[in-house]
């Protein structure tokens, strides 16, 4: 990137020209961290990264300990807890597009900040819940706010991360894995203590994390809304057939996120001779690779066509990984460990490619004036994959055995092969989007 292009990028991000160069090109520890990609090069990127990190610590706490809080501390039956969480997730999916539309019209930073504050209040209210109806109400409000924050965070990340938003988003994902791990470790301490005070501290700690995230987001420059063409309808995303197909295909491919955390542990314990401790080791390998390689995997994904090719490459990797995991069935213990470890590594490589390319496509194929609305639609596909993934993997991979693993790999490969054609279809039917700026 030449000097004039860098200056224009910094001006779009609300940064004085030359600031990034000064922060990253000088001496000292800060420059060393920037040059190695450990710290973002500009102020807004650092602030948003800090907000994201704190937010994810809170989510890690909640994901690891909330179910036990509801059942062991509040005393609500497991079935009712499951229903409440499912209802809340459904509300979040339905709300994605309309709240994304609000973010497009009001500005993503403002919507994101309000959403995180509402989420903090909804989570904090859980400490007063003692009945099923109030649990449903609080969780639905929290999930609605989470959906709003997710829809707004997409265009905000796109603007803050300019001129290389995919690389910046990859950095945030690596950071999120570290934060989620920290939150899960803290939740583990709470679960070990298993007291009302410990569980309440977990919930309130989650709420405090959201408030800190909102405070950090207030320090970021605002992203002005992009004016929509006069002939544009309100629900543009739902009328965009190529993008709807893209969302469906990405949702199917996103089932891969459930392979290592749901299907593989059950496969290792029930269908291989590998030791039980290897379940945790496989997850640790995946997490370490994501933290170390996610940013590197995003290099070269500088447009829609390149992203489509990378998804195709990811489909090949997933087929190879599922074949390796299938081969571990019935193998001797040490052979199973080696084969599954190779499968985890190959699967993680595919995951890295898919994640980076998915982010590029979700915004590169969306109009600049409707980034939030399109982000909400894209989130529906990923949300449904979380709901459909476990039962599908359980039926196919665990129910059918080795042929089931190969069938899932073939499905991922098919999606990867189709994705470039959908990208070309979308490019032909609409001019490419341009990124938003900040003021």
């Amino acid at each position: 990137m030449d000097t004039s292009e860098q200056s224009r990028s910094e001006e779009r991000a609300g940064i004085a020209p030359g600031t990034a160069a000064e922060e990253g090109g000088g001496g000292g520890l800060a420059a060393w961290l920037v040059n190695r990609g450990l710290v973002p090069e500009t102020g807004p990127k650092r602030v948003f990264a800090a907000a994201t990190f704190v937010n994810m610590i809170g989510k890690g706490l909640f994901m690891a300990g909330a179910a036990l809080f509801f059942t062991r501390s509040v005393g609500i039956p497991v079935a009712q807890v499951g229903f409440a969480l499912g209802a809340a997730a459904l509300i979040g999916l339905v709300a994605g597009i309309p709240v994304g539309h609000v973010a497009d019209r009001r500005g993503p930073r403002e919507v994101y900040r309000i959403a995180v504050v509402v989420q903090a209040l909804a989570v904090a209210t859980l400490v007063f819940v003692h009945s099923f109806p109030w649990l449903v109400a609080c969780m639905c409000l929290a999930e609605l706010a989470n959906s709003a924050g997710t829809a707004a965070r997409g265009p905000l990340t796109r603007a803050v991360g300019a001129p290389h938003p995919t690389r910046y988003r990859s950095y945030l994902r690596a950071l999120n894995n570290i934060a989620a791990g920290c939150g899960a470790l803290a939740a583990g301490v709470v679960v070990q203590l298993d007291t009302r005070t410990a569980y309440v501290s977990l919930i309130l700690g989650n709420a405090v994390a959201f408030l800190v995230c909102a405070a950090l987001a207030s320090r970021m420059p605002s992203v002005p809304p992009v004016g929509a063409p006069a002939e544009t309808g309100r629900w543009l995303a739902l009328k965009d057939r190529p993008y709807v197909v893209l969302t469906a295909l990405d949702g199917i491919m996103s089932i891969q996120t459930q392979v290592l955390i749901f299907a593989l542990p059950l496969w290792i314990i029930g269908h291989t001779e590998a030791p039980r401790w290897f379940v945790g080791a496989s997850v640790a390998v995946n997490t370490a690779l994501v933290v170390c390689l996610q940013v590197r995997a995003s290099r070269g994904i500088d447009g829609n066509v390149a992203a489509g090719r990378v998804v195709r490459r990811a489909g090949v990797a997933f087929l190879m990984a599922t074949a390796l995991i299938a081969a571990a069935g019935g193998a001797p213990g040490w052979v199973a460990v080696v084969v599954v470890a190779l499968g985890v590594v190959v699967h993680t490589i595919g995951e890295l490619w898919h994640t980076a390319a998915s982010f590029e496509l979700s915004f590169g194929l969306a109009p600049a004036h409707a980034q939030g609305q399109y982000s909400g639609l894209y989130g529906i596909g990923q949300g449904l994959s979380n709901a459909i993934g476990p039962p599908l993997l359980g039926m196919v991979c665990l129910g059918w055995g080795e042929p089931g693993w190969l069938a899932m790999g073939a499905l991922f490969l098919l999606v990867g092969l189709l994705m470039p054609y959908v990208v070309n279809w979308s490019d032909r039917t609409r001019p490419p989007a341009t990124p938003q700026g900040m003021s």
Side-chain angles (χ1 to χ4, degrees):
M1 185 170 65
D2 58 28
T3 305
S4 59
E5 182 183 351
Q6 182 174 351
S7 298
R8 288 193 297 271
S9 299
E10 291 173 356
E11 288 173 357
R12 284 197 301 267
I15 308 164
T19 300
E22 292 172 5
E23 293 182 358
L29 178 61
W32 185 86
L33 293 172
V34 169
N35 291 334
R36 282 154 183 78
L38 300 176
V39 173
E41 68 276 11
T42 64
K45 288 182 180 179
R46 294 178 186 178
V47 171
F48 191 45
T52 301
F53 185 80
V54 173
N55 187 309
M56 199 61 199
I57 288 179
K59 288 186 176 180
L61 278 169
F62 191 83
M63 288 187 294
L68 289 172
F69 166 73
F70 297 140
T71 55
R72 296 184 63 81
S73 179
V74 181
I76 297 176
V78 173
Q80 292 184 358
V81 171
F83 179 86
L85 295 178
L90 182 61
I91 292 293
L93 288 177
V94 173
I97 296 177
V99 295
H101 179 70
V102 174
D104 292 326
R105 302 281 66 84
R106 301 296 181 182
R109 187 198 68 171
E110 288 69 24
V111 172
Y112 179 72
R113 185 172 52 189
I114 294 172
V116 175
V117 171
V118 173
Q119 199 170 3
L121 296 176
V123 168
T125 306
L126 289 172
V127 301
F128 303 107
V129 168
H130 293 287
S131 64
F132 173 65
W134 279 107
L135 174 62
V136 173
C138 289
M139 286 305 305
C140 286
L141 179 60
E143 192 59 39
L144 178 62
N146 179 61
S147 179
T150 299
R153 187 173 63 243
L156 191 57
T157 304
R158 183 78 177 179
V160 173
H164 302 294
T166 297
R167 186 180 307 171
Y168 180 64
R169 178 63 182 85
S170 297
Y171 170 81
L172 292 181
R173 181 169 188 256
L175 201 65
N176 282 346
N177 274 266
I178 299 174
C182 293
L185 287 174
V189 175
V190 170
V191 172
Q192 181 64 33
L193 294 173
D194 197 30
T195 64
R196 169 71 181 179
T197 300
Y199 285 120
V200 168
S201 298
L202 181 147
I203 296 299
L204 294 180
N206 186 15
V208 169
F210 288 143
L211 291 177
V212 173
C213 173
L216 289 170
S218 300
R219 298 179 56 194
M220 296 173 54
S222 179
V223 180
V226 177
E231 68 277 7
T232 301
R234 170 170 290 188
W235 307 121
L236 179 63
L238 292 175
K239 301 176 183 177
D240 190 335
R241 288 183 294 173
Y243 200 90
V244 171
V245 174
L246 177 78
T247 297
L249 290 177
D250 186 77
I252 295 172
M253 186 72 93
S254 294
I255 293 174
Q256 58 86 11
T257 62
Q258 303 291 324
V259 169
L260 298 188
I261 62 176
F262 175 78
L264 183 60
L266 296 175
W267 179 254
I268 290 174
I269 293 175
H271 299 267
T272 77
E273 300 298 324
R276 290 176 177 268
W277 58 261
F278 192 64
V279 170
S282 63
V283 175
V285 168
N286 172 260
T287 301
L289 290 175
V290 169
V291 171
C292 295
L293 300 178
Q294 184 64 74
V295 175
R296 183 182 295 273
S298 69
R299 294 175 183 173
I301 305 178
D302 52 4
N304 299 329
V305 175
R309 290 197 298 264
V310 170
V311 175
R312 180 173 57 198
R313 194 188 309 161
V316 175
F318 291 141
L319 176 59
M320 294 174 59
T322 54
L324 286 167
I325 294 172
W334 67 270
V335 175
V337 168
V338 172
V339 173
V340 171
L342 289 174
V344 170
V345 171
V346 175
H347 182 95
T348 303
I349 292 172
E351 178 185 342
L352 296 171
W353 284 336
H354 170 239
T355 300
S358 176
F359 178 78
E360 179 69 26
L361 292 173
S362 66
F363 292 96
L365 295 176
H369 64 272
Q371 292 277 313
Q373 184 181 149
Y374 274 68
S375 179
L377 173 60
Y378 211 72
I380 291 177
Q382 295 179 335
L384 287 175
S385 74
N386 292 331
I388 297 173
L392 179 63
L393 292 171
M395 179 182 68
V396 176
C397 297
L398 302 176
W400 299 354
E402 287 86 348
W405 282 100
L406 296 177
M408 284 305 305
L411 177 61
F412 293 142
L413 176 62
L414 177 61
V415 172
L417 294 175
L418 290 175
M419 192 67 80
Y421 295 100
V422 177
V423 171
N424 291 335
W425 176 25
S426 183
D427 275 337
R428 288 196 309 269
T429 56
R430 183 185 57 255
T434 55
Q436 292 170 269
M438 300 175 69
S439 65

